[in-house]
Amino acid sequence: MAKILLESGGIMWKNAIYLFSSILIASLVILISGRYLDGISGSYLGEQKQRLEVQTEYQTELEKVQAGNVYEKLVNKKEISVLIIGDDIAQGGLETEDEKKWYNLLAKRIKEEYGADLTCKNIATPGGTAFDGWIDYITDRERQEYDLVFLCFGANDEREMNFNQKVFGAIVEGLIRNIKKAKASTEIITIIENSIRSQSYVDTLKQVSEYYEITYADIIKAFIDSRLPFNDITEDGRKPNEQGYSIYVNTIFDLIKSNINSKREPGFDGKKPLLYEESNAFENGKITTEFLTIQGFYNSVVAFDKIFMKSSHSNDSITYEVSNSHMLGVTLMAGPNCGIVDIYLNNRLIQTYDCYAPYEALRHVLISDNIGMGTHKIRIEVSSIKNAKASNSNVYIHGIITN
């Protein structure tokens, strides 16, 4: 019996030792395998992390290029969005073929030099003023953030504003600040067009540009430096011909190239004080079509994406009511068959405006940059006289412009 127990005990010890050894070997295998796998996993994760860092760095650089200013985009061959605001000179000539317009020729030069494409939107108006450009920009339903904006005004402002360069400067400042508030890095280039006759207007453009650290293309100087007779580079002593526009293109291209070489970085300090106190009136604006009373006018024409009320009878009128607006203007249509309007503020005649033009065009007419707070009535009336060049006395009114 004792022998049997002894033998059984020996077998049990052998089984225990065998079991312990198996567990020990299995544990060692698991431990070694785990360390091996951890090494592979760590190496794999390290490689993945490195790849992710490289990819993130690439995406960051790409975002920087895409979000960069116009000059960074140009040297990186990225598409440039361009807006042109101004008059008929900025428009490039009514009868000029598209491919020969100055901004398309400029786009071609830039493509050849830098490999970048320019997408241009032109909202310039024949006969347009800074006030036209300001309200057209403010009320543009398709307005976006632009890389580059050209401003080209002055010649028509001399006539429309009776040489009041202070109001002209305030409007230009209001326009610049609105553009920069939309996107601080937007580059603005002021074009000092060849047709400006008043040195005070030239000085005003330069002063506003320099105050906001905006570069300008002085076409008057470029025309003089060309040593060519004005009759050889203009159609009528004012509007540039094909050779004249080539001077525009060369001057603007050289300015852009110089800005690239100097690594110019456009910006905007929104806290900067106004250069002109009057610019407060041009911080914002809207066109109102709701009238108070109407006499003789009726819905007539849809043009320039707007509905115009029409009359050609003397003393027919539309009256509007304005409350708490700094400035006041009216939106009309000009053309070869258009007459003259008398504009009354609170029953007092304050302006007479001739709507005649050799071509149909949208007109935004500034009536006052400071009408005073409170409620006012404005009446626009068909005049009993007309321009001798006009074929009729038609008056087309869209609405009034207020803050």
Side-chain angles (χ1 to χ4, degrees):
M1 180 73 175
K3 184 177 181 180
I4 294 171
L5 288 172
L6 206 65
E7 289 177 354
S8 299
I11 292 169
M12 289 175 64
W13 275 106
K14 286 180 181 179
N15 289 339
I17 292 170
Y18 175 77
L19 180 62
F20 176 76
S21 299
S22 299
I23 292 171
L24 180 62
I25 291 168
S27 298
L28 289 171
V29 169
I30 291 170
L31 179 63
I32 293 169
S33 298
R35 288 182 176 177
Y36 175 73
L37 289 172
D38 283 346
I40 294 175
S41 177
S43 175
Y44 174 75
L45 290 173
E47 289 177 3
Q48 289 296 98
K49 183 180 179 182
Q50 189 175 7
R51 287 177 184 172
L52 183 61
E53 288 175 350
V54 171
Q55 185 177 5
T56 302
E57 184 179 348
Y58 170 77
Q59 288 176 338
T60 303
E61 289 301 315
L62 182 62
E63 288 170 359
K64 284 181 180 178
V65 170
Q66 291 175 338
N69 64 49
V70 61
Y71 304 117
E72 292 169 339
K73 285 187 173 183
L74 281 174
V75 297
N76 285 285
K77 299 179 173 59
K78 299 300 177 182
E79 185 177 356
I80 309 300
S81 60
V82 179
L83 178 67
I84 301 157
I85 312 176
D87 54 20
D88 39 330
I89 290 179
Q91 199 175 47
L94 292 174
E95 298 178 0
T96 305
E97 297 174 9
D98 281 347
E99 62 270 18
K100 292 183 179 180
K101 290 185 182 292
W102 70 269
Y103 49 89
N104 287 328
L105 294 175
L106 176 65
K108 184 179 179 182
R109 285 282 301 276
I110 288 175
K111 178 70 172 179
E112 292 170 351
E113 181 78 12
Y114 298 103
D117 291 316
L118 264 64
T119 301
C120 298
K121 178 178 179 179
N122 196 324
I123 60 171
T125 304
T129 64
F131 185 68
D132 285 283
W134 170 77
I135 193 63
D136 281 340
Y137 176 78
I138 292 289
T139 58
D140 185 4
R141 289 174 292 182
E142 299 177 354
R143 186 173 61 177
Q144 62 186 62
E145 295 180 350
Y146 298 96
D147 299 309
L148 175 61
V149 176
F150 290 106
L151 303 182
C152 183
F153 302 109
N156 296 310
D157 297 88
E158 290 178 311
R159 182 184 67 255
E160 295 283 339
M161 296 185 183
N162 298 317
F163 291 87
N164 189 337
Q165 70 271 10
K166 191 173 183 180
V167 176
F168 172 65
I171 297 170
V172 173
E173 180 176 29
L175 177 56
I176 288 172
R177 292 179 70 91
N178 270 281
I179 294 169
K180 285 290 192 177
K181 284 178 182 177
K183 183 183 177 183
S185 64
T186 294
E187 176 66 303
I188 299 175
I189 292 180
T190 307
I191 300 174
I192 300 177
E193 55 188 11
N194 64 283
S195 54
I196 301 176
R197 296 289 179 258
S198 170
Q199 185 61 41
S200 62
Y201 270 72
V202 173
D203 293 341
T204 299
L205 284 170
K206 290 181 178 181
Q207 182 185 34
V208 177
S209 298
E210 289 168 357
Y211 184 75
Y212 287 98
E213 299 179 5
I214 293 170
T215 54
Y216 55 83
D218 191 340
I219 306 300
I220 295 176
K221 182 178 182 301
F223 268 38
I224 294 171
D225 291 346
S226 73
R227 297 176 180 265
L228 294 170
F230 267 42
N231 288 336
D232 290 350
I233 52 181
T234 63
E235 294 178 356
D236 53 6
R238 177 183 176 274
K239 295 179 183 177
N241 58 20
E242 187 172 335
Q243 191 172 3
Y245 270 122
S246 69
I247 296 176
Y248 273 74
V249 173
N250 293 335
T251 304
I252 296 169
F253 179 80
D254 289 344
L255 176 60
I256 290 173
K257 191 171 184 178
S258 173
N259 288 342
I260 290 175
N261 293 338
S262 65
K263 300 187 184 303
R264 174 174 162 77
E265 296 184 4
F268 175 60
D269 179 6
K271 297 180 180 179
K272 193 168 190 175
L274 293 174
L275 181 60
Y276 296 95
E277 185 179 348
E278 295 83 357
S279 297
N280 279 314
F282 304 102
E283 183 177 351
N284 56 70
K286 61 183 179 181
I287 300 176
T288 302
T289 58
E290 295 180 4
F291 52 83
L292 186 64
T293 62
I294 187 168
Q295 179 180 326
F297 278 84
Y298 58 93
N299 284 340
S300 170
V301 175
V302 176
F304 308 104
D305 296 323
K306 293 175 172 57
I307 298 175
F308 289 85
M309 308 288 284
K310 175 188 175 183
S311 177
S312 58
H313 301 293
S314 176
N315 298 324
D316 281 358
S317 64
I318 299 181
T319 302
Y320 300 88
E321 190 171 75
V322 181
S323 296
N324 300 323
S325 179
H326 289 286
M327 48 74 59
L328 180 64
V330 59
T331 298
L332 307 162
M333 186 165 66
N337 67 346
C338 292
I340 295 174
V341 293
D342 293 325
I343 301 171
Y344 295 83
L345 180 62
N346 299 325
N347 294 320
R348 182 172 63 89
L349 179 65
I350 61 169
Q351 188 172 345
T352 295
Y353 186 81
D354 187 356
C355 301
Y356 169 79
Y359 38 72
E360 283 192 357
L362 187 65
R363 287 282 187 272
H364 303 294
V365 182
L366 178 64
I367 298 171
S368 174
D369 64 311
N370 185 16
I371 60 172
M373 301 305 286
T375 301
H376 304 275
K377 288 184 179 180
I378 171 151
R379 187 172 81 253
I380 304 168
E381 192 173 284
V382 180
S383 176
S384 58
I385 59 175
K386 73 176 184 67
N387 191 313
K389 298 178 183 178
S391 61
N392 209 322
S393 298
N394 294 327
V395 171
Y396 301 91
I397 302 174
H398 173 64
I400 57 170
I401 304 167
T402 62
N403 291 125

